[in-house]
Amino acid sequence: MWVTIHGRGLADAAVRERIERRLDFALGRFGDQVRRVSIYLADVNGPRGGVDKLCRIAAELPGHGRAVVEGVDDSLSAAIDRTADRVGQAVSRRLVLARTTATAVRGRGG
């Protein structure tokens, strides 16, 4: 799984390590079915504070499109954790749907 992280001033070494660990936990079970993952981090409100740490994760699934999930929280760690969990669920749903559709199509053609 190829991971790219975009985030102006937010993606230091500790954040990168957290992201990689969380993505491995959330997406590792899918193996080669997830080829590339892009993470975008932003501090939406800047220095004004508030619930403003954005994490958007896009997982590319060859032959099945992309699963994109976005989360916002007051803590960057919480936003990363929640979004990584949700992208794992989204990828699972997309792959199950693809298997179900493929099985139904094969069943009709027989």
Side-chain angles (χ1 to χ4, degrees), residues 64-86:
H64 305 295
R66 293 183 344 160
V68 181
V69 178
E70 187 173 288
V72 179
D73 204 294
D74 58 346
S75 156
L76 185 59
S77 296
I80 290 168
D81 292 350
R82 183 173 300 131
T83 308
D85 289 343
R86 289 178 55 216

Side-chain angles (χ1 to χ4, degrees), residues 53-105:
K53 303 301 188 282
L54 170 80
C55 178
R56 181 181 306 128
I57 301 177
E60 293 183 23
L61 311 168
H64 305 295
R66 293 183 344 160
V68 181
V69 178
E70 187 173 288
V72 179
D73 204 294
D74 58 346
S75 156
L76 185 59
S77 296
I80 290 168
D81 292 350
R82 183 173 300 131
T83 308
D85 289 343
R86 289 178 55 216
V87 80
Q89 294 167 1
V91 166
S92 179
R93 280 192 307 270
R94 187 172 287 264
L95 293 175
V96 166
L97 179 62
R99 272 194 305 269
T100 304
T101 304
T103 302
V105 169

Side-chain angles (χ1 to χ4, degrees), residues 1-109:
M1 172 173 45
W2 181 264
V3 177
T4 56
I5 302 170
H6 308 277
R8 291 177 233 167
L10 295 175
D12 62 11
V15 170
R16 288 178 185 277
E17 183 179 321
R18 180 180 201 93
I19 289 170
E20 289 176 7
R21 189 174 60 247
R22 294 297 298 178
L23 288 178
D24 186 46
F25 181 76
L27 300 175
R29 62 190 164 145
F30 301 113
D32 290 340
Q33 292 177 308
V34 178
R35 183 145 318 140
R36 170 179 246 152
V37 179
S38 298
I39 296 95
Y40 173 73
L41 305 172
D43 187 348
V44 180
N45 291 335
R48 292 180 292 188
V51 179
D52 66 342
K53 303 301 188 282
L54 170 80
C55 178
R56 181 181 306 128
I57 301 177
E60 293 183 23
L61 311 168
H64 305 295
R66 293 183 344 160
V68 181
V69 178
E70 187 173 288
V72 179
D73 204 294
D74 58 346
S75 156
L76 185 59
S77 296
I80 290 168
D81 292 350
R82 183 173 300 131
T83 308
D85 289 343
R86 289 178 55 216
V87 80
Q89 294 167 1
V91 166
S92 179
R93 280 192 307 270
R94 187 172 287 264
L95 293 175
V96 166
L97 179 62
R99 272 194 305 269
T100 304
T101 304
T103 302
V105 169
R106 277 194 303 263
R108 274 191 259 154

